[in-house]
Amino acid sequence: MSSLSRELVFLILQFLDEEKFKETVHKLEQESGFFFNMKYFEDEVHNGNWDEVQRYLSGFTKVDDNRYSMKIFFEIRKQKYLEALDKHDRSKAVEILAKDLKVFATFNEELFKEITQLLTLENFRENEQLSKYGDTKSARTIMLVELKKLIEANPLFRDKLQFPNLKNSRLRTLINQSLNWQHQLCKNPRPNPDIKTLFVDHSCGQPNGARAPSPANNPLLGSLPKAGGFPPLGAHGPFQTAPAPAPSPLAGWMSNPNPTTAAHAAVSGGPAIGLGGPSIPVVSLPSQAALKHPRTPPTNPSVDYPSGDSDHVSKRTRSIGMSDEGNLPVNVLSATFPSHGHGQAFNAPDDLPKTVLRTLNQGSSTMSMDFHPVRQTLLLVGTNVGDIALWEVGSRERLVLRNFKVWDLSACSMSFQAALVKDPGVSVNRVIWSPDGALFGVAYSRHIVQIYSYHGGDEVRQQLEIDAHVGGVNDIAFSHPIKQLSVITCGDDKTIKVWDAVSGTKQYTFEGHEAPVYSVCPHYKENIQFIFSTALDGKIKAWLYDNMGSRVDYDAPGRWCSTMAYSADGSRLFSCGTSKDGESAIVEWNESEGAFKRTYQGFRKRSLGVVQFDTTKNRFLAAGDDFSIKFWDMDNIQLLTTIDADGGLPASPRIRFNKDGSLLAVSANENGIKILSNEDGIRLLRSFENSMFDATRTSEAMTKPTINPISASAVAASSAAHSDRASFAVAITGMNGDARNLGDVKPRISDESNDKSKIWKLTEINEPSQCRSLKLPENQRVTKISRLIYTNSGNAILALASNAIHLLWKWQRSDRNSPAKASITVPPQLWQPSSGILMTNDINDNNHPEEAVPCFALSKNDSYVMSASGGKISLFNMMTFKTMAMFKPAPPMATFLAFHPQDNNIIAIGMDDSSIQIYNVRMDQFKSKLKGHSKRITGLAFSHILNVLVSSGADAQLCVWNTDGWEKQKTRLLQLPAGRTPPSQADTRVQFHQDQVRFLVVHETQLAIHEATKLDCLHQWFPRDSAAPILHATFSCDSQLIFASFLDATISVFSATNLRLQCRINPSAYLSASASNGNVQPLVIAAHPQEPNQFAVGLSDGVVHVVEPLESEGKWGVPPPSENGSASNVAGAASSVRASSDEAQR
């Protein structure tokens, strides 16, 4: 083929791509063999489309072409084989072995035999070379790194990895120029020729004497696409020598707006085929990497963001990466303990909220609803007459009702004022809470949006009023494109606008839609912030926070009213649309292709309105259609079930889940709202009902602190009295540095007596018959438990002993324990892998292990643990117990570890030299060193809502650090009891409440609740002078209780609302007679991640006990009424402290 013919193929490829003939593009790439599209190849490998991967490769090379090609095909087929084994599909594995891998036996027979032997293993990871094999996603990512290097080194791919650097729409331009040339040759050229075909040469018909326009300023085929609209096909290949002229995705919806050249080292010496993982000098998985501000897009000129590639330059070859979604280190198996399977999802359709528990009468027709992100029984409602209401679903009480009113008419546009005079009727189009629940926004059918701040209870304040759009404001959303919160709106004027949520200043205006914009969906991936928008002409566009225009242009299903939403974990994108003819559809999008991945079936053929939909957890979709609510499993296009909510629903009811999916609000006829619930929701509402009396009395005794209406602390500080009204499903950072998600937390059932005539009495537990406890199997080598934590799945307990050995107890699934959760009714197994190895920390030769300060932190998905016992910090695989990495040798010695809640590649390390070091595991680099303490660090806790790190030290000092730039914001010394001499080296521990604003402080002299933004002390509890000091304490999983252990072996249970003691467990109740009479102390205590009344305690004799209240009781005592003075007479005194004062109120 001539060079011009070859170039024509490239022009056709570019044209086909611009016209979105995606399959044809890749077919031509493969058949011509001129351009290997690495981006398409990567996507197909990530998606596991192995047949297409090999078919596409076959256009460029065959298995036996050279050693590089052989290695490429072997790695692909080996991965395909291992995935079949991982799914326990033996027949498929045998088929792959015979058809795909047999060819390699002639080159390496021993290897083929070893591969065959994997069929005999229950888990192929038992093979030494495959012990570090992670999950499918991470394994494919690792393999891709090797494949790309092999392809680049393969001479058959030379000059095929880079697409020519063409201008946009080059073929169109050439045709335009040809047509203009033909037009100039016309004898009688028209000024505005009408060219309707390319099949014959152009000629103007009738003479008009006009001059032919120049080709430069009159492209006859219509205007060429603007920069950024349709990129050159060069965007296909990540190996361009120069970046594309305009940042925009070709094979993806939202690619990095600043594409860079991806340099990879050539493979030297020829590849070797092997059974283990690919041989890779440097590996790093995609990460939410921008440390200074993970959610800020890299286009922000004010912040310098290091690239992942540049940070690897000159680094040593070992590099460990951990992904954000799975939080897996490279090539580390996810430790899916039995029953852990679907972490946040429902177990079966029976768990869908389908029982009608409440019916609320709003008074006007509901248009939009949204549950509070933290207080999950708080429902915000907007109506068709402009009213907004705030309902406490638990009590059926409408806390707030506001009629529509323009706050400052003089500040509004004249067109809006005139429209109101002509027709004062206004409807609410959308209501929505901000991510932290401190604000909510209302979009109206006329011009404006109103932003309110919420301060707990019925306290709602006007915050901002913005005359946002000409005509209706159709949607509103909150986002964090820059450091402060922003409000995003869209409207009838065909624009999308971004506003500062504090000042109301307009930050961006996005224009490009040709019809009113119906909805917006902000999101971020890999540090790229973007907004999807849909318009009434069915067009979907995507925008970065810049002025470069829309990045995509796709058609929504229905081509009319569509909304978009991501799954809870942000990994899957869905849209729901209704056409003008009433045809409705929910689809899942393939973001890498901009195409439908699946279309869900089961809608009425002609919907009687615009269908609304919602997602819950990462498992279910729901939509209001045909006078009912319809549910789908995200992975199945067939309708799962239909619920009519006892009848009385409109044709297309509006629906909204609360955050943990236990409640579903549904609009009903006659201005009603029905609240549907599953079993967890029933417990949540019942708990609320039973605790209302105590919460009300508590609120009367408390004084509201000064409130900053915009800060997240406003919610928590002012609503502390209401904190036990609901079970919040947000992440908490544990005392051992773990961040856990409370989607599975069961609300505590409280049935405290409301009889005021009864005199409260402390619950004392003295006998084993008064509680339930289980002694876990012992390890004879362990003499003292130093650290203790439950796994996030709740089916195992991990301990670190003083001699640097880790112990893991796992509960197996059985008839007596079907969920395989930690339970006192079934003993667990002291688990070890078949290799028999133990997870043992490195020990500093200069220190005895008993003298070291042990510390560890567990990853979110229980896959690995970071740990230290005076020596180097170790990273262990929780499935194999193997040491993945070791770093940071002492001195100084690590004394506390905590993972960043938004990026498990970032870890905060407290040191015995009083510093805190921020370490990036993936980059193997220390990013910052924080100095503010005078003695060793003894506690660290992150708040993902406030973006702060709270530290505590043996100097009894608290410090707050901003995680954007790691600057110190505030510091405060603990307030010690009057007349008590402070100990010289007492540990101070910190742990965030589930609201992520308040935190618990544990010191041997006190328990205290502080507020994080100002470090104000809200409550304190001091043991009496003669009482034993506090050893350890922790919040229960729902943050309603505090479990505390003491030097005299007693365990006390406090109400977290006011730090009042409600139950005391004496050592005789849970220890053996010899232990309770001896010198055994409960050194550490850990709370179950889903059962609010279960805790585990680690003892100084190496034993661990799990303790629960009696099944008949169901709880640890009854909290004392706030005015009952007896609370201060039991082993200590509690005080409430004003947020604005350091003085204790006795």
Side-chain angles (χ1 to χ4, degrees):
M1 185 179 288
S2 68
S3 61
L4 287 179
S5 297
R6 187 173 185 271
E7 290 180 0
L8 180 58
V9 172
F10 282 109
L11 295 177
I12 294 171
L13 283 172
Q14 184 193 40
F15 172 78
L16 291 173
D17 186 83
E18 290 171 348
E19 295 302 312
K20 299 181 176 60
F21 294 103
K22 296 185 180 299
E23 292 184 9
T24 309
V25 167
H26 304 311
K27 183 68 174 174
L28 181 55
E29 290 167 351
Q30 182 252 330
E31 287 193 339
S32 67
F34 289 161
F35 172 64
F36 185 82
N37 188 330
M38 188 68 81
K39 179 66 172 64
Y40 173 69
F41 180 75
E42 289 176 3
D43 290 343
E44 292 303 297
V45 171
H46 276 304
N47 294 330
N49 298 329
W50 303 119
D51 291 342
E52 172 59 17
V53 167
Q54 295 186 77
R55 186 198 65 80
Y56 189 72
L57 274 171
S58 68
F60 303 89
T61 185
K62 299 295 185 291
V63 175
D64 55 356
D65 279 347
N66 58 41
R67 56 189 178 181
Y68 297 101
S69 299
M70 185 184 300
K71 173 69 170 173
I72 291 168
F73 280 96
F74 175 78
E75 289 296 337
I76 291 169
R77 295 175 183 182
K78 183 187 76 175
Q79 180 64 27
K80 181 180 175 184
Y81 176 65
L82 293 178
E83 289 183 15
L85 289 177
D86 213 18
K87 295 176 182 176
H88 302 288
D89 190 344
R90 301 283 174 177
S91 61
K92 181 68 173 177
V94 171
E95 179 184 342
I96 296 168
L97 194 65
K99 291 184 178 181
D100 295 339
L101 291 170
K102 181 70 173 177
V103 65
F104 299 104
T106 57
F107 303 102
N108 192 331
E109 188 174 355
E110 289 301 317
L111 176 62
F112 183 74
K113 289 180 180 179
E114 191 173 0
I115 292 175
T116 304
Q117 289 172 358
L118 296 179
L119 287 167
T120 65
L121 302 177
E122 180 65 26
N123 186 338
F124 64 79
R125 295 170 182 83
E126 295 175 21
N127 182 286
E128 179 69 21
Q129 297 181 63
L130 295 171
S131 62
K132 296 181 180 180
Y133 183 94
D135 61 359
T136 298
K137 181 180 178 181
S138 61
R140 289 175 182 174
T141 301
I142 293 167
M143 180 186 67
L144 255 176
V145 176
E146 177 73 357
L147 291 180
K148 288 168 67 175
K149 296 171 71 173
L150 289 166
I151 289 169
E152 287 185 292
N154 194 328
L156 294 176
F157 288 84
R158 197 161 296 151
D159 301 325
K160 296 180 180 181
L161 298 176
Q162 183 173 316
F163 199 85
N165 192 11
L166 306 176
K167 292 184 178 180
N168 287 359
S169 303
R170 179 61 182 161
L171 187 58
R172 286 178 179 270
T173 301
L174 291 174
I175 294 173
N176 270 326
Q177 291 172 349
S178 172
L179 291 172
N180 276 282
W181 174 74
Q182 293 176 32
H183 183 61
Q184 287 176 329
L185 295 180
C186 288
K187 294 181 180 179
N188 301 299
R190 292 183 187 179
N192 296 301
D194 183 17
I195 299 177
K196 296 182 177 179
T197 181
L198 298 177
F199 292 165
V200 297
D201 288 347
H202 162 71
S203 64
C204 292
Q206 298 178 356
N208 57 13
R211 293 183 59 193
S214 69
N217 56 23
N218 187 22
L220 298 176
L221 287 182
S223 60
L224 293 176
K226 63 182 178 180
F230 299 97
L233 199 65
H236 266 312
F239 305 102
Q240 305 169 94
T241 54
S248 103
L250 186 62
W253 284 50
M254 296 306 301
S255 60
N256 194 316
N258 293 317
T260 55
T261 301
H264 299 280
V267 179
S268 61
I273 297 176
L275 181 62
S279 174
I280 311 167
V282 177
V283 177
S284 62
L285 291 182
S287 170
Q288 193 174 343
L291 182 61
K292 290 189 176 181
H293 193 74
R295 293 192 174 188
T296 303
T299 51
N300 185 354
S302 64
V303 183
D304 181 24
Y305 290 92
S307 71
D309 291 330
S310 65
D311 279 318
H312 277 294
V313 176
S314 302
K315 288 290 167 191
R316 57 187 175 132
T317 57
R318 184 196 64 78
S319 180
I320 309 134
M322 305 172 201
S323 68
D324 294 316
E325 295 297 336
N327 296 294
L328 290 169
V330 169
N331 223 7
V332 174
L333 170 68
S334 175
T336 49
F337 298 144
S339 88
H340 191 196
H342 204 81
Q344 292 185 327
F346 295 112
N347 294 323
D350 291 340
D351 287 328
L352 291 167
K354 57 187 180 182
T355 303
V356 179
L357 282 190
R358 301 280 192 274
T359 300
L360 313 175
N361 185 3
Q362 175 57 40
S364 51
S365 180
T366 298
M367 299 298 293
S368 178
M369 300 175 287
D370 195 27
F371 278 99
H372 195 279
V374 180
R375 290 186 54 192
Q376 295 193 64
T377 58
L378 201 61
L379 180 65
L380 178 65
V381 179
T383 76
N384 65 334
V385 296
D387 294 347
I388 57 169
L390 200 56
W391 289 87
E392 176 47 76
V393 172
S395 63
R396 303 178 177 86
E397 179 185 3
R398 184 161 60 187
L399 303 175
V400 175
L401 177 62
R402 296 284 180 92
N403 305 120
F404 173 73
K405 179 183 178 181
V406 180
W407 301 342
D408 186 1
L409 190 59
S410 63
C412 297
S413 64
M414 293 304 297
S415 61
F416 179 40
Q417 296 182 42
L420 277 181
V421 171
K422 185 177 181 180
D423 181 7
V426 174
S427 171
V428 172
N429 281 338
R430 181 73 188 273
V431 293
I432 190 169
W433 288 99
S434 65
D436 60 5
L439 302 174
F440 64 84
V442 187
Y444 291 98
S445 61
R446 299 287 192 87
H447 287 248
I448 66 169
V449 297
Q450 292 179 339
I451 310 297
Y452 291 84
S453 60
Y454 179 59
H455 301 263
D458 58 358
E459 189 174 349
V460 170
R461 300 178 189 170
Q462 297 176 1
Q463 183 64 38
L464 275 178
E465 184 175 64
I466 304 171
D467 190 345
H469 295 272
V470 178
V473 184
N474 296 321
D475 201 4
I476 183 172
F478 288 94
S479 183
H480 281 92
I482 48 181
K483 289 191 177 183
Q484 67 266 34
L485 187 67
S486 293
V487 178
I488 303 167
T489 62
C490 65
D492 289 344
D493 57 5
K494 307 176 186 178
T495 66
I496 301 102
K497 298 181 181 180
V498 182
W499 315 82
D500 186 288
V502 178
S503 65
T505 304
K506 184 166 64 178
Q507 297 170 324
Y508 299 96
T509 299
F510 301 127
E511 298 177 338
H513 277 292
E514 297 177 356
V517 186
Y518 183 72
S519 69
V520 290
C521 176
H523 195 59
Y524 73 97
K525 280 193 172 182
E526 294 294 334
N527 294 325
I528 302 174
Q529 295 266 358
F530 55 90
I531 304 168
F532 281 121
S533 61
T534 68
L536 291 182
D537 59 0
K539 291 295 183 183
I540 296 175
K541 294 184 183 292
W543 318 80
L544 297 179
Y545 292 86
D546 55 24
N547 298 310
M548 299 296 292
S550 172
R551 296 312 207 274
V552 301
D553 187 356
Y554 290 102
D555 293 323
R559 291 177 175 251
W560 191 42
C561 297
S562 292
T563 53
M564 307 184 79
Y566 277 89
S567 57
D569 61 5
S571 64
R572 302 173 71 172
L573 176 64
F574 303 89
S575 71
C576 177
T578 302
S579 70
K580 293 180 180 179
D581 297 327
E583 296 285 347
S584 295
I586 295 179
V587 301
E588 180 178 4
W589 289 87
N590 183 332
E591 290 184 81
S592 64
E593 295 291 338
F596 301 162
K597 188 174 182 180
R598 52 173 62 89
T599 300
Y600 298 90
Q601 302 175 3
F603 282 101
R604 178 189 175 100
K605 289 192 175 180
R606 288 288 185 271
S607 299
L608 302 177
V610 177
V611 170
Q612 306 289 316
F613 90 122
D614 199 5
T615 69
T616 183
K617 299 286 187 172
N618 301 310
R619 177 81 180 277
F620 291 109
L621 299 165
D625 178 53
D626 197 16
F627 307 95
S628 62
I629 306 107
K630 296 179 177 179
F631 293 91
W632 292 264
D633 187 299
M634 288 180 179
D635 297 324
N636 192 333
I637 64 171
Q638 301 299 326
L639 186 66
L640 180 64
T641 189
T642 300
I643 298 169
D644 66 0
D646 299 338
L649 300 185
S652 299
R654 300 174 187 277
I655 64 172
R656 192 67 171 171
F657 286 101
N658 70 344
K659 186 171 182 179
D660 68 4
S662 61
L663 299 177
L664 175 64
V666 184
S667 64
N669 293 332
E670 299 179 356
N671 303 327
I673 301 171
K674 294 191 176 187
I675 306 299
L676 279 60
S677 173
N678 61 11
E679 291 185 3
D680 285 342
I682 293 171
R683 284 194 291 267
L684 175 63
L685 296 182
R686 188 177 298 155
S687 173
F688 176 85
E689 288 175 338
N690 293 332
S691 63
M692 281 180 62
F693 172 73
D694 181 66
T696 303
R697 299 179 70 177
T698 303
S699 64
E700 293 171 355
M702 290 186 64
T703 304
K704 290 185 178 180
T706 304
I707 295 169
N708 175 0
I710 299 302
S711 71
S713 62
V715 180
S718 64
S719 61
H722 309 276
S723 63
D724 59 344
R725 288 191 175 188
S727 175
F728 305 157
V730 295
I732 64 172
T733 301
M735 296 292 278
N736 289 315
D738 61 307
R740 55 182 79 223
N741 187 295
L742 295 188
D744 295 327
V745 171
K746 295 181 181 177
R748 296 190 313 119
I749 302 174
S750 175
D751 55 359
E752 289 89 340
S753 171
N754 289 346
D755 187 354
K756 295 183 181 181
S757 63
K758 291 184 179 180
I759 299 176
W760 177 84
K761 187 177 181 181
L762 174 68
T763 300
E764 293 267 6
I765 296 178
N766 299 305
E767 302 295 334
S769 60
Q770 293 178 289
C771 68
R772 298 182 295 169
S773 68
L774 174 68
K775 180 181 177 182
L776 303 189
E778 297 180 59
N779 182 305
Q780 299 302 320
R781 296 175 56 186
V782 170
T783 58
K784 185 168 71 173
I785 303 296
S786 299
R787 295 290 178 265
L788 192 69
I789 192 173
Y790 282 83
T791 59
N792 296 283
S793 62
N795 67 350
I797 292 176
L798 177 67
L800 174 58
S802 59
N803 61 352
I805 293 176
H806 297 77
L807 302 177
L808 181 66
W809 293 272
K810 291 170 61 174
W811 275 261
Q812 306 295 333
R813 190 184 304 277
S814 66
D815 294 338
R816 295 174 60 195
N817 187 19
S818 57
K821 298 293 183 182
S823 169
I824 55 92
T825 59
V826 179
Q829 174 190 4
L830 182 56
W831 192 84
Q832 276 184 269
S834 56
S835 62
I837 65 173
L838 292 172
M839 290 188 288
T840 305
N841 279 336
D842 175 64
I843 297 172
N844 190 336
D845 295 336
N846 298 325
N847 292 333
H848 191 277
E850 299 285 345
E851 299 172 356
V853 181
C855 53
F856 65 10
L858 185 64
S859 68
K860 296 176 187 176
N861 64 353
D862 303 330
S863 294
Y864 53 91
V865 61
M866 196 80 75
S867 185
S869 295
K872 294 180 181 178
I873 299 172
S874 300
L875 175 69
F876 294 102
N877 184 319
M878 285 280 283
M879 174 62 79
T880 64
F881 282 13
K882 291 187 176 180
T883 305
M884 304 300 302
M886 297 177 70
F887 58 96
K888 192 64 187 74
M893 177 175 61
T895 55
F896 205 92
L897 301 169
F899 283 108
H900 193 291
Q902 294 168 321
D903 187 351
N904 258 7
N905 285 307
I906 307 300
I907 186 168
I909 307 173
M911 300 290 187
D912 67 348
D913 67 352
S914 77
S915 69
I916 303 166
Q917 300 199 27
I918 307 302
Y919 177 67
N920 189 310
V921 180
R922 180 174 60 88
M923 298 178 184
D924 188 23
Q925 181 178 3
F926 285 92
K927 306 293 289 186
S928 298
K929 187 172 183 178
L930 316 182
K931 295 184 178 180
H933 291 273
S934 59
K935 295 181 180 179
R936 74 166 185 265
I937 305 300
T938 58
L940 296 168
F942 283 96
S943 167
H944 69 272
I945 287 182
L946 299 181
N947 290 328
V948 298
L949 170 68
V950 173
S951 62
S952 58
D955 53 4
Q957 184 177 212
L958 305 174
C959 293
V960 178
W961 313 84
N962 184 294
T963 57
D964 292 336
W966 303 108
E967 303 92 356
K968 185 165 63 175
Q969 293 183 328
K970 194 83 174 175
T971 183
R972 180 181 184 132
L973 288 170
L974 289 186
Q975 179 183 342
L976 298 177
R980 191 170 299 185
T981 304
S984 60
Q985 283 290 336
D987 288 356
T988 307
R989 298 296 178 90
V990 288
Q991 179 191 11
F992 266 99
H993 187 281
Q994 62 182 24
D995 65 14
Q996 294 286 284
V997 177
R998 290 170 288 170
F999 64 92
L1000 170 67
V1001 178
V1002 183
H1003 188 265
E1004 70 173 48
T1005 65
Q1006 65 182 280
L1007 300 176
I1009 302 292
H1010 286 253
E1011 185 270 336
T1013 57
K1014 297 182 179 179
L1015 282 185
D1016 291 327
C1017 182
L1018 306 177
H1019 303 284
Q1020 280 181 303
W1021 182 89
F1022 303 120
R1024 286 185 171 184
D1025 292 342
S1026 58
I1030 301 167
L1031 293 177
H1032 200 258
T1034 185
F1035 276 122
S1036 61
C1037 61
D1038 60 0
S1039 294
Q1040 301 299 294
L1041 299 175
I1042 295 171
F1043 304 115
S1045 62
F1046 292 80
L1047 188 62
D1048 61 2
T1050 60
I1051 297 172
S1052 295
V1053 183
F1054 295 82
S1055 167
T1057 305
N1058 50 20
L1059 283 186
R1060 293 188 180 273
L1061 182 63
Q1062 66 184 55
C1063 179
R1064 183 162 53 208
I1065 305 166
N1066 288 305
S1068 56
Y1070 70 96
L1071 296 179
S1072 64
S1074 59
S1076 60
N1077 293 329
N1079 190 25
V1080 175
Q1081 294 92 33
L1083 300 179
V1084 283
I1085 195 164
H1088 192 289
Q1090 289 109 35
E1091 296 291 344
N1093 288 292
Q1094 185 187 120
F1095 62 86
V1097 60
L1099 306 178
S1100 57
D1101 62 355
V1103 174
V1104 173
H1105 287 267
V1106 178
V1107 188
E1108 287 183 355
L1110 292 176
E1111 197 167 7
S1112 58
E1113 296 290 335
K1115 61 185 184 301
W1116 295 109
V1118 178
S1122 56
E1123 71 271 17
N1124 192 322
S1126 58
S1128 62
N1129 296 324
V1130 278
S1135 65
S1136 295
V1137 184
R1138 290 182 181 271
S1140 59
S1141 171
D1142 293 342
E1143 295 298 322
Q1145 309 250 326
R1146 297 286 180 177

